[in-house]
Amino acid sequence: MAWIVLIISGMFEAVWALALGKSEGFSRLAPSLVFVVALAISMGGLAMAMRTLPVGTSYAVWVAVGAVLTVGYSMATGDESISPVKITLLLGLISCVVGLKLAH
């Protein structure tokens, strides 16, 4: 169950990161509110997962899930360029998360 909570909280990390970018320095209300709510859910989930999973593994997986989803979304919407190198590196991050799960 901790792994599921960790992955979901990593997804909310991507939500708050994207909302932070769209908030324009917290000058736009809706993205700023999404940021605050997603941040609370993300941190709460991370804290819950850390009750049973090692801190280092939890944090690495949380960051990787958030980073992959944030970059993937940005590439899909055209906010970030797509390149074979970026795709390869994102796949490498995903492989590392799977490796950490298998090593646990």
Side-chain angles (χ1 to χ4, degrees), residues 2-3 49 52-55 57-58 61 97-104:
W3 280 97
T52 55
L53 299 174
V55 172
T57 300
S58 298
V61 169
V97 167
V98 171
L100 285 170
K101 169 62 174 134
L102 294 175
H104 183 262

Side-chain angles (χ1 to χ4, degrees), residues 29-45:
L29 182 61
S32 297
L33 292 175
V34 170
F35 166 80
V36 170
V37 171
L39 179 67
I41 293 169
S42 179
M43 291 293 175

Side-chain angles (χ1 to χ4, degrees), residues 13-99:
E13 185 200 5
V15 172
W16 70 250
L18 291 163
L20 180 60
K22 300 216 181 280
S23 75
E24 297 177 8
F26 300 114
S27 64
R28 297 181 58 215
L29 182 61
S32 297
L33 292 175
V34 170
F35 166 80
V36 170
V37 171
L39 179 67
I41 293 169
S42 179
M43 291 293 175
L46 177 61
M48 190 184 298
M50 285 182 173
R51 289 180 185 168
T52 55
L53 299 174
V55 172
T57 300
S58 298
Y59 183 70
V61 169
W62 180 76
V63 168
V65 169
V68 167
L69 291 176
T70 301
V71 174
Y73 179 86
S74 295
M75 289 188 327
T77 59
D79 291 338
E80 189 161 331
S81 63
I82 301 171
S83 73
V85 172
K86 285 183 183 180
I87 299 292
T88 302
L89 292 169
L90 291 173
L91 290 173
L93 274 174
I94 294 167
S95 298
C96 289
V97 167
V98 171

